[in-house]
Structure formats: C-alpha cells, structure tokens
Amino acid sequence: MNDRMTPAPDQGLPAPLLAELQTRFGPRFSTAAAVREQHGRDESSFVDVNPPDAVVFAEDVADVQALLALAGRYAVPVIPFGAGSSLEGHLLAVRGGISLDVSRMNRVLAIDTADMTATVQPGVTRMQLNQALKGTGLFFPVDPGADASIGGMCATRASGTNAVRYGTMRENVLALQVVTAAGEIVHTGTRARKSSAGYDLTRLMVGSEGTLGVFTEIVVRLHPLPEAQSAAVCSFPGIADAVGAAIDIVQSGIPIARMELIDANTVRMVNRYSKLDLREEPMLLMEFHGTPASVREQAETVEALAGEHGGAAFAWATDPEARSRLWTARHHAYFAAIASIPGCRAISTDTCVPISRLAECLLESVREADEMGVPYSLVGHVGDGNFHFGYLIDPHKPEQRERAELLNARLVARAIRLDGTCSGEHGIGMHKMDFLVQEAGLPAVELMRAIKRVFDPQNILNPGKVLWGAAGQGALRRSWATSVATPP
Amino acid sequence: MNDRMTPAPDQGLPAPLLAELQTRFGPRFSTAAAVREQHGRDESSFVDVNPPDAVVFAEDVADVQALLALAGRYAVPVIPFGAGSSLEGHLLAVRGGISLDVSRMNRVLAIDTADMTATVQPGVTRMQLNQALKGTGLFFPVDPGADASIGGMCATRASGTNAVRYGTMRENVLALQVVTAAGEIVHTGTRARKSSAGYDLTRLMVGSEGTLGVFTEIVVRLHPLPEAQSAAVCSFPGIADAVGAAIDIVQSGIPIARMELIDANTVRMVNRYSKLDLREEPMLLMEFHGTPASVREQAETVEALAGEHGGAAFAWATDPEARSRLWTARHHAYFAAIASIPGCRAISTDTCVPISRLAECLLESVREADEMGVPYSLVGHVGDGNFHFGYLIDPHKPEQRERAELLNARLVARAIRLDGTCSGEHGIGMHKMDFLVQEAGLPAVELMRAIKRVFDPQNILNPGKVLWGAAGQGALRRSWATSVATPP
C-alpha cells in the first residue's frame, strides 16, 4: 500500500542482464544518456523523474516476448513507449527499468474495407493510419489531438474531439494481440462487431496503461467518411452561455460529430500563437457529418439552439481548407498555452461528468481558478461532459505546483460528487492514483489490484502507475521523486 | 479441467444451511418442488438437469449480500435468476445450489432524462423500462426479442435487432453495483459517458454470466426516440441475394436501425403461427430512424441497393401499427419455430462474423443443414454479421441432439476460421465452453480462469458456466447430465 514511502537506492540494471540485453538486441538496445533522456519525458508536468536505465527498440512480437522474459527473470520494470505524448507520466521510469520503445513496430498490417476494420502494430500513429486509409472512403475517428500511437491510445483508453459521435478507444478496439508479463502471446476478441464469448479481456486491456500486458497488434474499427462535413464556430457572451448551448445541443439528440468549448482566455492564446483573429470570447467549435441534406439540417438546428443562449457570429465552412483553419484554434490550444509563459508546463485536468452537471462543475472550477489567480487554458469536449484546464506552472517552483494540484484535487472531488470521473481520457498514470481510490472506492480498487497481481505477479509491467503498491514486492528499484507526489 | 467427468452424489443442501436460510429469508425462501422446477428451466434445449435445491427471492441488496455470505460459508452454488429467458442453460443448477431470483428487485430507481441514463434494479425487464420511459422522449434500445431482465441482459452481454445502430449491452451499460462472492458491495463506472479511470471493471462484469458477481444496480444509457421511424420489408429470390443486399447496405454506411434476415422456411412457420400472409421467400426486415427527411433518404438508398440484388416487393410502413405488424414476423420467429413440431426444442446457434464473411459462413451452413435434413429456423441480425439457426430437435432423442450439435460445431469452427465468434449475443453458458477455448485459445482462457479464481475463489457463483473447472475444488455438488454434453 505505501511503497511510495520506501525509496530503494538507484542500483541501475544488473550487469548480467545488461549483457543479455546487449546479446539479444544488439543495436536495438541502448543505454546512451540521450536515448534514455528522450524516453524519460512525456507531455506531463513531471520533470524530476530519472530516465529509464536502458531502452530497447522492439521490431516484432518476438522482441517483446524476449524482453519480457528477460525482465521477468531479473524482476526489472518494463515501460511500453509509443509516441511519448502521455499527459500523466505513464512513460516515466518511476522505478527505473527498461523503456520498451514500440515505435518501430509501425506497420499497418491489414485494412479490411468491407468489414471496416484495420489491423495495426502498436507504433502506428493515428495520422499514419488515416494516411494509409486515403482513398478507401474510411477513416479512424479517435482523435486525442496529439499524433499519438494507436498502442498508446489503446493503453490510455483515449478519445478526443469526436468521441461524442464515434466513441472512444473502448468502443473502437475490436481485438488485441498482447504479450503478457510471462512473455506469452494472448489473443483477445475477434473481428466480429460484437461477441458474448467469455470475459471481455479486450476491454480489460484497453485502458490498462501498460500494466497488464504489452499490445503487439490492435484491430480497430473504421468508419465511413461522411459524404458531407461542415464546421461551425459560434461565440457567446459568457462561458455559462456556451455551456448552456452545448447542453441543449446534446440533449436535442443531434448526432453532432464534434463540439468543443474554448474559453476566451484560450482563444486569446491561440490568436497570438497561430496568428489568427478569432473573436476573443468563449466559443463552441462544431462539426457535422452526414449527407449534404442532413448536415444542413443539423447546422440549422444548432444555430437556432445557440441563438437562444446568445450565440452570435455563427460562421460555418464546408470546404476542407476553411474547416481546417477553424480547427487550428482547437488543435493548437495546448501548445499555445504552453508557449504563453516561457518555460512553463501544464497540469492538465481531465474530469468528465454527466452533461446535466457540466455547468455546475465547470463554472465553479473557473471561479475557483480565477480566485486563486492561477493562469490556465480551458478547452472541453463538452458534448461528452469532459473538459481540461491546463494550469500553467513553472515545474521547478513547488508552490506553483501545489496551488495547481489543490485546484485539481478540488475539481476532481467536485466531479466525483456530481457522478463523474477523475479521468475522461488521459488515464491515471502516476498522477491520479489517489483520485482513482476516491472515485472507485476501495473494494473496486482491491479487485483491480487482484487482477494486476494475477496478470503481473512480479509487478514488472509499468509499475507505479494506476494502482499504488500493486505488488508490494519485487521490481521496486527506485522510488518516484517526492517532488511530484500527488496531493493528499 | 475435467470436473465434468467427476459427478458428485446429489446431497442436497446441508441441514444447518437450510435452517439459516429459513431464518434469514422466511417466506422469501422456498424448497417447494414447483418453485424449484420453475427455476430449473430456461429457453435452452437442456431438459435433463435437476432443479436447484432451493430458491431465494431477493428484495434488496442486503438480501443478496446475506445469501452470498451464507453460500460462501457452506460452499454452495448460487445461480442468479432474472426472467428465465436464457438460451444457453445459464440458469440451470448443474451443480445444485440455490437459485437467487432477483425478479422482485424490479424498481426503476432513477431516470435522468437530461443525461439520458436510467438506474434500474436487475429484475426490471426491458419492456418495463421502456414503459417507464413513456413521455420522456427517450428509449432503451437493446432488444433481444424476449422480455428479458436488464440484469440477465447485462450478464449475457445481450444485444438483438437494433445493435447495428445502438450497440449492445457492452456499449449501453455505464455503471454497476455488484455484490461479490464474498458478499461485498462494489461500484464500477460512473454516469459520465466515458472514463479512463482504471481497469474497466464494468465491461469485465458485463458478459460474465453471473460467475463474477451479482448485479444489484445497473446504470444504462438511453437514446432519444427518433423523430421519424419507418419499417420496410423486402423479399429476395434466394438467400444469397438477401445476404448480398445486407452486406451492401452495411458497407454503404447508412445508419440503419435494424436489418433482420428471415429465411423462406421461417417465414412459412411465422405465417402459420401468426396467421400472416407474408411472401414465403427470404426477406430482409429493416427499420430506419432519423428526421423525416433522413429516414426517407435512407429508405430510398436501401431500396435501390436491394433492387440490385433482385429485391422485390419493397414495402414500407411509417405508422406504428403497420410497423409493428411487419415486426411480428421477426418477433414470433422463435416461438413459431418451436410450435412447428409439437414437443420440440431449438438448439440455437449464435455465431457472428465480419460482414465480408457473412455470405460464406451462412450459405455453407444452410447447405450443410439441408444436406443433413435437420429441420431449422433461420433468422439473423445480419447488419452485425450475427445469425441464428434454431435446429429443431426432440430433446429426449439423443441422436437428434447429436446431429444438431454436429452442425453447430461445424458452424462454430467455420465462424472462428472466418475471424468470427461462437457467440454474438447469447453467451457461453453451459453450452459453448469448448467453443470458447477454440475461439480464444488456451492462454486467454487461462487468464479468464485466473480472474474467476480471484473474484470467486470457492467457485460458488454460477459454477459450471463459461469456463470448465474454473476452481477445481469446492461447490462441486453435482455434475451436469452427460446427455447434454457439448460436441467434441
């Protein structure tokens, strides 16, 4: 339970293991400082964690099996690494060990257009997959913003801007090939659209953050490219008005494809960063997919609903270039925020609540952040009830981190009280383990822990993530720097 | 592994347990033969299994906890019982024990129209829920045909006619209250539409067939009643034409709400049973949901696609009464088949394959059944690649069962070879445990077994279902009659 309290000395990897790794992987194995550093960073705000002791670049499933077998023999942690875009410290070697880089396992193995499925290796990124789908009339919808690897998206149960219409990785992963901690290959699921055959290991693996197995093949669902698309942007006098309109739109049952909130402050950051001249007011960015007639119908209904909440400057675009200009604001929001204060990092919140609770949860949290004077960006997949504050901090100033984490903790407590979750799409990582206990309760967390022990008895798979003290023995090589501890 | 080989003598329940049950549950506890018989039957073809030793009618979560605590103390099986509509022997007391009837836990606890969720007790049936939703503009879409309990549908990961549009129980269950084998209450999930918080215990529980815990509260997603609905029926010269049209329709991306195949033979049975005069040819029954304009657009596109496959007599209906007449054929198919031969039972197949493999899988299986001269009904949720033969047998004639099971085994092997699953929606029960091993492979089944051991170390929760010899000790009170053994 309290292994975070018992730091072990930094011992590095045992010499015989180093020799075996060198023999097995040759040039695909590295202990070079630059390579380790590169694998010891992600998009989270954690900057004080030591890098992994070594990096292995896997090229096929046999590499993954061999590494896990070796790691198991020496009880050394293995941390799967895809594109490095985690926001919650998933990739950080909090107990040392080996970073398992799967970015070279980046082949699209099959595209079955008739069945609307694709089989990919874990290092394939979402943009790469969509590039490969050009000309098929299909696309892979899950879009977390960053060009994440499909393996990583699978690990964090990612979603993003159009989950409101197309679902998250939970709905869009059909089957997996997984290597277990014991180095064994397991297949879960099939390419059939549905199944009632046995326990749903696929869904158990999706969202397991590298702690139950390493994905080596992933079958995802594809969707037909809509015949017509249009994007619309609408500004509102205040953030409460924008949220009110979003709620009405969801409740109307319109199959909106995307609906993103951006607060006035963040529009300002984006204007500066991307040299745009968007109206600096809270805005909803929307996208409609369907036939030309249904897209027009949807947009008209939405414009009327927005108007009831003071929505003005309703502008829409159907050609791809104009659409992509509109979406620039949203896609650059994170980097625009980071760039707004030199050297800062963002502590990103990720609560998600039932839509009827969205206004209360969001507006109260805005008030709190404003009162405390913490700078932030604010964007939201409001169609899902999910939004992200990015509290901007100097990562080397503990008092700034503390204030931001206090805001985060209050926001999470509020979301849980409102029947929501601490994480809509980023995952738990090393940041929200206490929140998971608050949300799920100890009995559920004990079941998760029991599952972890069964799948990974030595706790070598990404230890120190999702669950505190999942194993309690073995592989505890180095503790997580106390400076990045989560709030109480 | 082979506990099916080692029948234990029928000992009944220990006297001290009987006394404790009597004290705790009073009139809600029964060992009356009629009550036990009623809880020893379902809609499967298994007729030779002894009824449970006793029945407890739970009225609240405390009842469920108390029963599980007692059962655990005496290592006696507990079999959750909802509406009794299982097709795979889920409810049968293959090792004796206590049937836990939750049909009195039938309150709709909350309907949150703004969030489009409902919270129900497990004994609420799907029709009861939809009745309670009248006037809200919302509905619960999952429709397995029978008026099953939501708890049972959750247990089997049920789906049905409109899963092609609205998803299965996998997609439509948000959160659960579960009582574990130890009698502890666990909460999984929240009312938020999506979450990345920890392992997906909700999805692990959905489809666990009463073997991992007993559901005591279920939060389901609701959907807006479409503004317009229309139903259409279309006949085809041959079954291959109907399947070809179905595949084209799915691949076109039309958001069809229902698409059911009924073969000529089954249309004949239904005409006789329901006194209808449907054209006795293979038919597709379809339903379109949307705005009036989009419904019209969908139906027109589908009519054109059907025409390319020789589809004729395309008839459609928009008013509720005409629609429900059209759907009568589909909804009565099972009972019409059973009624076609006095005293017969149906062995229902449930394979589901990727849509591109549907024609091969289905047509080959039709040929095989025709060659063997086994009478059958045939219906399919073809939009999902899922279809059901109902091989009609006299359950007391082993040679008839054997031939039907041989056909079933061949069909399952074919579906697995074609990247599909042995069960699209009925579950494994006591019927498909060997098929699950064939489909998932031993490493995956070993993980399922390990999960079962962690959740239910004494194997008291619905033993003898889903997995062979999950525990291997305890609670093995009586073996499943060899006459209902699955084919090799």
Side-chain angles (χ1 to χ4, degrees), chain A residues 114-115 156-157 159 170 191 194-196 198-199 203 211 251 291 297 355-356 386 419 421 423 425 454, chain B residues 114-115 156-157 159 170 191 194-196 198-199 203 211 251 291 297 355-356 386 419 421 423 425 450 454:
Chain A
D115 299 323
T156 55
R157 205 181 291 130
S159 50
R170 180 171 79 192
R191 289 204 305 114
K194 63 182 194 180
S195 172
S196 288
Y199 304 156
R203 248 53 54 182
T211 66
Q251 292 177 352
T291 62
E297 204 174 26
I355 195 83
S356 71
N386 183 210
D419 272 2
T421 174
S423 177
E425 57 184 17
V454 161
Chain B
D115 298 324
T156 55
R157 205 181 293 130
S159 50
R170 181 171 78 191
R191 288 203 307 115
K194 63 182 194 181
S195 171
S196 287
Y199 304 157
R203 247 54 53 183
T211 67
Q251 292 176 353
T291 62
E297 203 175 27
I355 195 82
S356 71
N386 183 210
D419 272 3
T421 174
S423 178
E425 56 184 19
V454 160

Side-chain angles (χ1 to χ4, degrees), chain B residues 134-176:
Chain B
K134 282 248 159 93
T136 63
L138 300 171
F139 78 117
F140 174 65
V142 187
D143 171 6
D147 189 20
S149 68
I150 309 271
M153 290 169 63
C154 205
T156 55
R157 205 181 293 130
S159 50
T161 52
N162 51 27
V164 63
R165 167 78 173 256
Y166 297 99
T168 72
M169 290 302 277
R170 181 171 78 191
E171 287 80 26
N172 284 289
V173 174
L174 282 173
L176 294 168

Side-chain angles (χ1 to χ4, degrees), chain B residues 60-74:
Chain B
D60 56 27
V61 65
D63 280 352
V64 175
Q65 290 185 278
L67 177 61
L68 285 168
L70 276 174
R73 192 127 46 82
Y74 290 89

